[in-house]
Structures are given as structure tokens and as C-alpha cells.
Amino acid sequence: MVTLAEVAQHAGVSASTVSYVLSGKRSISATTRQRVEQSIRELGYHPNAGARALASSRSNIIALMVPLRTDMYVPVMMEIAIAVATTARTHGYDVLLLTGEEGPDAVRRVTGSGLADAMILMDVELDDERLPLLREAAQPSVLIGLPADTTGLTCVDLDFRATGALCVEHLAGLGHRDVAVIGEAPAVYERHTGFAERTLDGLRSRARETGVRLLHRPCEGGYDAMAVTLARVFDERPGTTGFVVQNESAVEPLLALLRQQGRAVPEDVSVVAICPDQVAVQASVRLTSVSIPAQEMGRRAVEHLVAKLDGRGADEVVLLAPELTVRASSGPAAS
Amino acid sequence: MVTLAEVAQHAGVSASTVSYVLSGKRSISATTRQRVEQSIRELGYHPNAGARALASSRSNIIALMVPLRTDMYVPVMMEIAIAVATTARTHGYDVLLLTGEEGPDAVRRVTGSGLADAMILMDVELDDERLPLLREAAQPSVLIGLPADTTGLTCVDLDFRATGALCVEHLAGLGHRDVAVIGEAPAVYERHTGFAERTLDGLRSRARETGVRLLHRPCEGGYDAMAVTLARVFDERPGTTGFVVQNESAVEPLLALLRQQGRAVPEDVSVVAICPDQVAVQASVRLTSVSIPAQEMGRRAVEHLVAKLDGRGADEVVLLAPELTVRASSGPAAS
DNA sequence: ATGAAAGCGCTAACAG
DNA sequence: CTGTTAGCGCTTTCAT
């Protein structure tokens, strides 16, 4: 293994000079720099991560805690994780992958050991037990998601309240009066995941304002569950002409069932989905949708974290504005 | 920050004793151990990761390189990643998440810096440019996937050849004579990802043996692409009664289109999918399928790696046997 | 613009 | 069974 000292000797300079060439923390004459860089290349030198971390008390690692469960839409998680990893790299950080499994212990372990310089938490619950630890941790953190109490925390999330409102607004504008909301699995609501409840909030309040009647039904993914849910919806509200779907694994089943029942989309019923664009575009009817900006969330989370690590940036709640894209699944209410 | 020395002082023992209590590398009297453990708890001590890594030249980190692309089935990737992370934890390792983006450079960086003790690579191509680096690296590694040349490497993968064979066998046994294979996106084949080609191999050779006529068509995901592909299939082989699908985002579109064309599943055509069980169960017709054992692959990869790190275990290719589960989408060929 | 040297916190011989 | 001690490879004052 090549060490800094060996590089220094090879280049005929002191160890500190090599270190400074690497960090750029003080000016080096062009010739020395070149000689050092040459030696580094010739010897194939790579700074030792452990030694660096010990001496600088900086690991250049960001911990990312992803949920263990897979009852929510996985591709979004993955997209966020990948965006976090790639953005982190552009700032010189690597990403440590933690699963929610260990819960608060993982937070203790990572913050306590200095394994990571900072952390990002996904899938935050309204009253998450990891939050107190984060508030008192030495390392900065960013949540992707929005807990009930955000004091002392930085959060990045899609504005799900506005998302809900936007969906209802779109349907109301098209003349729909009875709208059904196909929600996430019941477990998601029971867990009090923020985004599901906030979406509902937005849906309801805008429905009130626009005189739309709303029927909310949580729904497990899959065809069978969707069939049951749909039957109940039309049973309770036969006049339903609009659907808002916030459960990707219910999207295609819903479309299939509607087709099967002879209800044309968008002639007879309109469907608005809250899902990644890819899902909206690949569905059997190109879906009018509000997209979940997974990449942007991951990127923004890292950028806030890096700002904090650099002493810039303070606690803040960043809510990304939703954008609704009109596609083929929504149209005027049948009159 | 609490250090080992402080714990030692608090407990009235030497630093090394504390270290040995932690590592268990030499026997400690019950009373000393208790005193030390007590002090650790009282002071809230956490060993410093960097110092540990430097002194022991062991980071207790496993690097996991995931593909950046998302043209392949993401949930499988995620499931593997999570299985890797949780299994690694049970062995005292954390997981560093690398994206394929950096390519071979990431391998150099990680192995060179001692950031990780070992690595796991997913989405390995037949002639992957990272392989030479792995072979000469000081750290052990495991591939999830199977390259063309496995000498000096350890690989874990589903036996896709056997998987293909199993699918054809099932359909042949039911009397199907014309079988269409709906494959991954063309890009996947162009990239020479091993699993896609191996599946095809298995499909073809067993088709030959059983006298089945096979028609293979790569297919982008989504409804529109599937519609085009399906039309071509029935155009070329009107007598097609069996389908093998190896592209999760084509599964539901295929079922919807068949339904729409008045072809009943499984009465008129049978469908066998290669996909995670969850997809098979949630589809609009419960699918006969060969499941992709993502969790097991992740778990096995870590266990092999840990074995290598502990000086046990040698290079080896582990092919997991496929299992076909008969569900509602396959039945006797229409006579 | 460069060097010298003191640690960073821990592990692992070596010595009893 | 326990203590002493010499590093691990790097960063960062303090000098010059």
C-alpha cells in the first residue's frame, strides 16, 4: 500500500506538502505541484480513508436511511437513493446505506461513531422516534418527508397538500362532481406517514371549496383488492366520474377494471394519478398525473446537507411545487 | 466526544483492556468486563470508526455497486440492496452505496482507499470492464450476475438457463407448440447483460428438445410497445398459444391486450412470467411464474463475502435453482 | 511557499 | 488475566 510519506519521498517534498497539494488548502508552486502529482500517478497513490477520517474528523460519508418495508412504491425510493448517491459524489461524498430496520439505534451508531458526517432520512413518520436523536446529534441531517413537528429540522418533500388540491381542481374544472380517491394501503395511513395524510388534506379542502363530493378509500395494491374497492365505490356513489389514484400498484388494475365494466376513459370517467411520470406514460391509458419528483428530492436533500456541512444553510422546510401534466385519461365530465 | 481512554480511566483499567472487552479477542475477567461495560454505558461511548479503520485496516464496510440505469426491473434491485444491507448488519458490516456511474473508477477509489473491505457488484455485463480490477484487488468481491469469464471470481445468480428451460418445459408439457417470448428492452440485449442471453439459451435449447417453436421478441415496457410487439407476434405466428414474459413492465399490458382481443387466459393462451412473486400475485390474472429470488441472492452474496473476509470460502459460482409456481395463467393448449 | 512535528483514537504485538 | 507502548496514515498548527 502506497502512503503519503512514500509519495513525499518520491517527490522530494515533505508530507505536509503532499497533503496540501491534495486538499488545496494552501498555495503550492506550480513546479512542486506537478512533481507531486506526477509521483502520485506513478506510485498509484490513494489516500487512506480511515487515516483521513481520524485526522480530520470527517469521513466524507453521508448516511441514507431507507425504509425496510416495501408496501410503498419502491421505484420512487430507488430513484431518490440513486439521486442521493450521484449528487453526493459530485460533492465528494459517498453514501452509506442504512435500512430502517435498526431504527433509532442506527442513528446512534452512525452519529456516535463518526461513521458519517451527516444523514438523510426517508419515509419519515409524523411522529418519528428518530427525530429527537437527530435534533441533538452533532451531525446535520435532512429529512425527505415531513413530520408533524419540524422545529430544528430540515425537510425536503413534495407539497402533497398542494398536490391533492391540484388533482381536485383539475377534475372540478372539467365539471366532475363526484370524485373517488384510491389511496395507499391501509397500513400506510395507520403508520401516519405524512404524505398520505397531507394529500388527503389537500384533496378534501379543495373539494370543499369547489363543491366536489369526495370518497376516500385506501387500497392494497393489485387487481383483486382494486376490484373490491371499485365495486364499493360505485355502490356508494354510482355517479362517480372522477378518480384520483395515489397507489401505483392500483393504477393498472383500475384501468383494466374500468375497461372491463365498459366505462371508457376519459369519456365516461376521468383518472388522475399521483405517480412517477414513467408510470403515467407507460400505463394502458396515458395518465393525467402529478409526478413525484424523486430525483429532485434526492438532489435537493444532498445539496442542503452539503450546505450545512460547509457552514452555510440553516434549518428549513422545502416543499416542491407539484405539477400536473394533462394526458389522455382526463376529460370533461359526461353530462 | 468520549474516547476509549476516557472509558479506561473511568473504569480504572488500561486502554487495551477496554479494546479487548469490545473485540472479545482475549479473555477478560467477569468483574473487569462488567466494570468496563458499565463505564461504556454511563459515558455513552461509541468507538470511532476512522480510528478503528486506521488501526486495524478494516473498515467493516462492504461496498455495493448498483446500476444507474432504470431500464431493468427496479424493485428486484432494491430488494437485493436491502437484503445485502440487512444481512451485512448481522455480520457487523455497513454498506456503502455506489452507483454504476463512476464505472471502474469507483472500484479503484474504494479498493485503493480502503474505504471498504469488500465489494458486491450488481448488473454485471458479460465482458465487464470492472472485472480485471476486481481480480487484482486486495479486497474480495462477489458478483450478482454471471460474466462470460468467471475465473478468479465469485458469482451468485439465479440459474437463468434453467429458468428458461423450466418455462418452456411447463408450456410444452401442457401441449403448447408455438410459444412467444416477450423479452427485456432491446438495450438490455445490446448491453450483453448475461441473464437475458442465458435465459434465451435455456428457452431455445429446451424448445429444440421438446419440439416447441419459439419466437423471441425484445420489448420496451409499457402498453404501446407491447401492443406493437403482440401484433407482430400473432402476425408471424397466428397459432401462438403460449407466452413467456421476462419484462415486468410488459406483464400487465400483455394481459390487458390479450383480454381486449378476446383471448382468454388460460383458456386460449397461457402466460408464464419470470418475475418476483409479488408481481405474479398482484397481476390481473394470477401468473404462473418463476420467481427471482432477490433476497436470497443478496443474502448469499454477503455470506460468501464474509466467509472470504474471514479466510474461509473460495471462488465459486453459485447458481440458484429456479422454481416454477403454477398459478392461474397457464393451462392445457387449446386443441 | 515549504517543513517539522504533534496528535487524531484505536489495535495489537510484547511483556508480564 | 491485564498493562505498556508503538504505530496505523493523515491533517494541521507552528515555524520559517
Side-chain angles (χ1 to χ4, degrees):
Chain A
M1 193 204 165
V2 187
T3 71
L4 191 158
E6 295 174 306
V7 173
Q9 188 165 20
H10 182 104
V13 298
S14 73
S16 57
T17 298
V18 177
S19 176
Y20 284 119
V21 166
L22 253 26
S23 68
K25 287 189 181 172
R26 79 181 183 191
S27 37
I28 303 283
S29 75
T31 53
T32 328
R33 149 166 293 117
Q34 301 215 327
R35 222 143 22 88
V36 171
E37 282 167 350
Q38 174 70 12
S39 299
I40 288 177
R41 247 174 286 118
E42 277 182 32
L43 302 180
Y45 169 72
H46 283 271
N48 179 288
R52 225 173 211 191
L54 176 55
S56 65
S57 27
R58 283 275 212 148
S59 64
N60 279 291
I61 288 179
I62 292 174
L64 173 69
M65 211 159 158
V66 304
L68 190 60
R69 301 179 223 87
T70 50
D71 60 353
M72 262 169 19
Y73 196 49
V74 181
V76 173
M77 299 288 168
M78 190 72 172
E79 213 178 319
I80 293 178
I82 288 181
V84 165
T86 57
T87 309
R89 280 307 303 146
T90 71
H91 292 275
Y93 288 88
D94 271 296
V95 170
L96 197 76
L97 183 69
L98 304 175
T99 65
E101 198 180 31
E102 288 180 278
D105 286 347
V107 176
R108 274 192 211 93
R109 198 163 54 81
V110 167
T111 58
S113 66
L115 224 189
D117 296 334
M119 42 190 331
I120 295 176
L121 266 65
M122 297 175 58
D123 194 39
V124 179
E125 295 178 23
L126 279 181
D127 184 22
D128 202 293
E129 47 178 354
R130 296 165 299 185
L131 302 187
L133 290 170
L134 290 181
R135 282 191 250 257
E136 65 193 28
Q139 291 89 342
S141 55
V142 169
L143 312 185
I144 295 183
L146 206 54
D149 178 9
T150 63
T151 44
L153 298 171
T154 292
C155 311
V156 172
D157 205 357
L158 174 62
D159 188 340
F160 280 100
R161 231 181 160 285
T163 298
L166 198 54
C167 292
V168 167
E169 201 168 290
H170 176 69
L171 291 172
L174 290 167
H176 296 273
R177 289 286 151 258
D178 268 296
V179 170
V181 178
I182 308 301
E184 298 280 359
V188 174
Y189 295 92
E190 280 155 23
R191 207 191 303 140
H192 295 298
T193 311
F195 82 95
E197 305 199 347
R198 283 185 288 127
T199 308
L200 211 48
D201 257 21
L203 287 162
R204 285 192 176 132
S205 69
R206 188 56 55 90
R208 218 172 298 122
E209 290 165 29
T210 54
V212 162
R213 264 184 317 233
L214 217 59
L215 184 68
H216 172 244
R217 289 288 171 268
C219 182
E220 301 280 355
Y223 195 82
D224 295 346
M226 188 65 240
V228 173
T229 304
L230 190 60
R232 286 178 50 203
V233 166
F234 280 122
D235 199 45
E236 284 184 55
R237 298 274 171 86
T240 300
T241 61
F243 284 87
V244 176
V245 193
Q246 183 175 209
N247 182 338
E248 295 73 6
S249 53
V251 164
E252 201 57 53
L254 173 62
L255 294 174
L257 285 160
L258 289 172
R259 206 177 295 130
Q260 202 174 307
Q261 299 178 356
R263 304 184 198 256
V265 174
E267 292 79 2
D268 301 324
V269 299
S270 288
V271 176
V272 177
I274 301 170
C275 68
D277 276 334
Q278 208 204 352
V279 172
V281 171
Q282 286 204 349
S284 53
V285 179
R286 292 167 54 88
L287 293 170
T288 293
S289 71
V290 175
S291 75
I292 296 174
Q295 298 209 6
E296 168 132 21
M297 283 162 57
R299 196 176 52 73
R300 295 280 284 260
V302 171
E303 278 163 2
H304 271 264
L305 216 41
V306 171
K308 282 189 175 185
L309 286 166
D310 291 352
R312 325 180 324 265
D315 292 338
E316 188 183 348
V317 173
V318 179
L319 290 185
L320 305 178
E323 285 178 32
L324 185 140
T325 304
V326 179
R327 296 200 185 82
S329 69
S330 63
S335 49
Chain B
M1 193 203 167
V2 188
T3 70
L4 191 158
E6 297 175 306
V7 174
Q9 186 165 23
H10 182 104
V13 298
S14 74
S16 60
T17 297
V18 177
S19 176
Y20 285 119
V21 166
L22 254 25
S23 70
K25 287 188 182 172
R26 75 183 187 192
S27 36
I28 303 284
S29 75
T31 53
T32 321
R33 148 165 293 117
Q34 301 215 327
R35 220 141 26 88
V36 171
E37 281 168 350
Q38 174 71 13
S39 299
I40 288 177
R41 249 174 283 117
E42 278 181 32
L43 301 179
Y45 168 72
H46 282 272
N48 179 288
R52 223 173 212 192
L54 177 56
S56 65
S57 34
R58 282 277 213 150
S59 63
N60 279 293
I61 288 179
I62 292 174
L64 173 69
M65 212 160 159
V66 304
L68 189 61
R69 303 180 219 86
T70 51
D71 61 353
M72 264 169 18
Y73 195 51
V74 181
V76 173
M77 299 287 168
M78 189 74 173
E79 213 179 318
I80 293 178
I82 288 182
V84 165
T86 55
T87 309
R89 280 307 304 144
T90 71
H91 293 276
Y93 288 89
D94 271 296
V95 170
L96 196 75
L97 184 69
L98 305 174
T99 66
E101 197 179 32
E102 289 181 279
D105 286 347
V107 176
R108 275 193 208 91
R109 199 165 53 79
V110 167
T111 57
S113 66
L115 224 188
D117 297 334
M119 18 189 356
I120 296 176
L121 266 64
M122 298 174 57
D123 194 40
V124 179
E125 297 179 22
L126 278 181
D127 184 21
D128 202 293
E129 47 178 354
R130 298 166 297 186
L131 302 187
L133 290 170
L134 290 181
R135 284 190 248 254
E136 64 193 28
Q139 291 88 343
S141 56
V142 169
L143 312 185
I144 295 183
L146 204 54
D149 177 10
T150 63
T151 45
L153 298 171
T154 292
C155 311
V156 173
D157 205 357
L158 174 62
D159 188 340
F160 279 100
R161 235 184 156 284
T163 299
L166 198 53
C167 291
V168 167
E169 201 169 290
H170 176 69
L171 290 172
L174 290 167
H176 297 272
R177 288 288 153 255
D178 268 296
V179 169
V181 178
I182 309 299
E184 298 279 358
V188 174
Y189 294 92
E190 280 154 24
R191 206 191 302 139
H192 295 298
T193 312
F195 81 95
E197 306 199 346
R198 283 185 287 127
T199 308
L200 210 47
D201 258 20
L203 287 162
R204 286 194 174 131
S205 69
R206 187 57 53 90
R208 216 173 299 123
E209 291 166 27
T210 55
V212 162
R213 265 185 318 234
L214 217 59
L215 184 68
H216 171 244
R217 289 289 170 264
C219 181
E220 302 280 353
Y223 195 82
D224 295 345
M226 188 63 241
V228 173
T229 304
L230 190 60
R232 287 179 51 204
V233 166
F234 280 122
D235 199 44
E236 285 184 54
R237 298 273 172 87
T240 300
T241 60
F243 283 87
V244 175
V245 193
Q246 183 175 208
N247 180 339
E248 295 73 5
S249 53
V251 164
E252 201 57 53
L254 173 62
L255 294 175
L257 286 160
L258 289 173
R259 205 178 296 128
Q260 203 174 307
Q261 300 180 356
R263 304 182 198 257
V265 174
E267 291 80 3
D268 301 325
V269 299
S270 288
V271 176
V272 177
I274 301 169
C275 67
D277 277 334
Q278 208 204 351
V279 172
V281 170
Q282 285 203 349
S284 52
V285 179
R286 293 168 53 87
L287 295 168
T288 294
S289 70
V290 175
S291 74
I292 297 175
Q295 298 210 5
E296 168 130 23
M297 283 163 57
R299 195 175 52 72
R300 295 281 283 259
V302 171
E303 279 163 1
H304 271 264
L305 216 41
V306 171
K308 281 188 174 186
L309 286 166
D310 292 352
R312 322 182 322 266
D315 292 338
E316 187 182 351
V317 173
V318 179
L319 291 185
L320 305 178
E323 285 177 31
L324 186 142
T325 305
V326 178
R327 297 201 184 82
S329 70
S330 64
S335 49

